[in-house]
Amino acid sequence: MKRAGFTSAWLPAMLLLPQLAVIAIFFYWPAAHALRSSFYLQDPFGFGETFVGLSNFTSLLTSAAYSRAAWFTVFFTLIVTFGSLAIALLLAVKADKVIRGAKTYRTLLMWVYAVAPPVAGVIGLIMFNQSWGPLVEFFALFGWDFRLGVDYFDTAFAMVTVSIWKQVPVNFIFFLSGLQSIPKSVKEAALIDNRSASGRFWDITFPLLAPTGFFLLITNITYAMFDTFGVIDTVLKGQPGNNPMTLVYKVYVDGFRGNDLGGSSAQSVVLMVLVLALTVFQFRMIERRIHYT
């Protein structure tokens, strides 16, 4: 096979320059600025700053509010990630078996993908409205006095539910594509070897979906930790109080609401290190068990 080549070393560099500029401006420069700011106590209006060393980081270790947000982030990430993956996989398996009206059925399952996170949060506010929300009225039938924004558990339930609902269509698209890419001959051979539908799924189908599942695992963890900001901000109505919040939203609240720029920068640095460690763990430990065909 003939390989493409460049007659000049400057041409590939020029082609890479726009992408490298975007990465440098929107990632490396903000990351370096956040790292520097984490060692300072800064005036919110930019009139001065005082070097405090690791004081901002030690304050995080002794902060009960930060520990509470950290544990909720772990819980929120696990529930949203595996909840959305499980529901999407179930819907994809069912949609793959639909013969009549398949396009309409799949379109109805995928249309939520076009909804922006803040819009999904607004829809959640409507569904969980304390006065006339349909879901609140449904919960009342079972004696559940649902109070969004007042009760910690109820607010967390609403945040998790809306976040899962928003992410399911994305996972559904990838899982359905993975299922349809499995050769028909493999399915027929599995049908002969194992008459149990559940046995065929776990022994044949699920391992073949492992590469797709690994990709979705990474993207869903990233979604749960970062891209749910719009949903959380809308559900909390800008007044977090004692309600649950993730680490990303706490960075925003402490930095832009509490004017603690140094502490907020320290939180962003800690979050960046955690994400880096999680990414290394995923690719070093989990990907080794994934077999690409």
Side-chain angles (χ1 to χ4, degrees):
M1 181 179 294
K2 185 178 179 180
R3 299 180 60 183
F6 296 96
T7 58
S8 174
W10 290 100
L11 181 58
M14 293 298 294
L15 294 175
L16 288 174
L17 185 60
Q19 182 65 33
L20 294 176
V22 170
I23 294 175
I25 294 174
F26 293 100
F27 180 75
Y28 288 116
W29 181 78
H33 184 73
L35 181 61
R36 179 190 177 279
S37 299
S38 64
F39 297 106
Y40 287 85
L41 180 63
Q42 296 181 319
D43 184 276
F45 300 100
F47 292 118
E49 58 184 13
T50 304
F51 182 78
V52 294
L54 298 176
S55 178
N56 290 323
F57 292 97
T58 55
S59 297
L60 295 180
L61 298 178
T62 58
S63 173
Y66 187 77
S67 299
R68 191 181 189 186
W71 283 112
F72 177 76
T73 302
V74 174
F75 166 80
F76 180 82
T77 302
L78 291 177
I79 296 298
V80 171
T81 298
F82 291 101
S84 58
L85 287 175
I87 295 175
L89 180 58
L90 176 62
L91 293 176
V93 171
K94 297 301 180 181
D96 190 45
K97 298 178 181 179
V98 174
I99 299 177
R100 182 174 298 178
K103 293 183 178 180
T104 302
Y105 178 66
R106 294 166 186 171
T107 302
L108 291 175
L109 292 176
M110 291 187 293
W111 71 270
V112 185
Y113 176 66
V115 178
V119 177
V122 172
I123 296 176
L125 287 177
I126 296 174
M127 300 299 292
F128 291 102
N129 187 279
Q130 191 169 346
S131 300
W132 44 266
L135 292 179
V136 174
E137 294 179 353
F138 175 74
F139 295 151
L141 298 177
F142 301 93
W144 183 2
D145 183 18
F146 193 92
R147 296 178 295 172
L148 178 64
V150 178
D151 185 84
Y152 185 94
F153 173 80
D154 293 349
T155 306
F157 179 83
M159 291 165 53
V160 169
T161 302
V162 176
S163 299
I164 291 177
W165 172 73
K166 174 67 180 69
Q167 186 64 7
V168 163
V170 181
N171 300 332
F172 170 78
I173 294 172
F174 282 95
F175 276 134
L176 183 60
S177 299
L179 288 171
Q180 293 180 343
S181 65
I182 298 177
K184 187 176 180 181
S185 58
V186 174
K187 296 180 180 180
E188 293 176 349
L191 183 62
I192 297 175
D193 293 339
N194 193 338
R195 302 296 299 179
S196 172
S198 60
R200 292 195 305 271
F201 175 79
W202 291 112
D203 294 339
I204 305 298
T205 305
F206 190 75
L208 292 175
L209 287 176
T212 302
F214 176 69
F215 167 76
L216 290 177
L217 176 64
I218 297 175
T219 56
N220 277 260
I221 291 177
T222 304
Y223 163 79
M225 296 186 67
F226 297 99
D227 293 344
T228 54
F229 178 90
V231 173
I232 296 173
D233 186 51
T234 306
V235 171
L236 295 182
K237 304 176 184 178
Q239 299 176 352
N242 292 324
N243 286 316
M245 69 175 76
T246 59
L247 291 178
V248 172
Y249 192 68
K250 184 170 176 56
V251 171
Y252 165 75
V253 170
D254 291 352
F256 293 92
R257 298 284 179 85
N259 293 325
D260 183 12
L261 300 182
S264 177
S265 298
Q267 294 180 39
S268 65
V269 171
V270 171
L271 187 60
M272 185 167 50
V273 172
L274 291 176
V275 172
L276 179 61
L278 180 61
T279 303
V280 172
F281 172 78
Q282 287 176 332
F283 280 93
R284 289 294 182 88
M285 301 300 295
I286 300 179
E287 191 181 27
R288 291 180 179 179
R289 302 178 181 272
I290 304 300
H291 301 282
Y292 297 91
T293 58

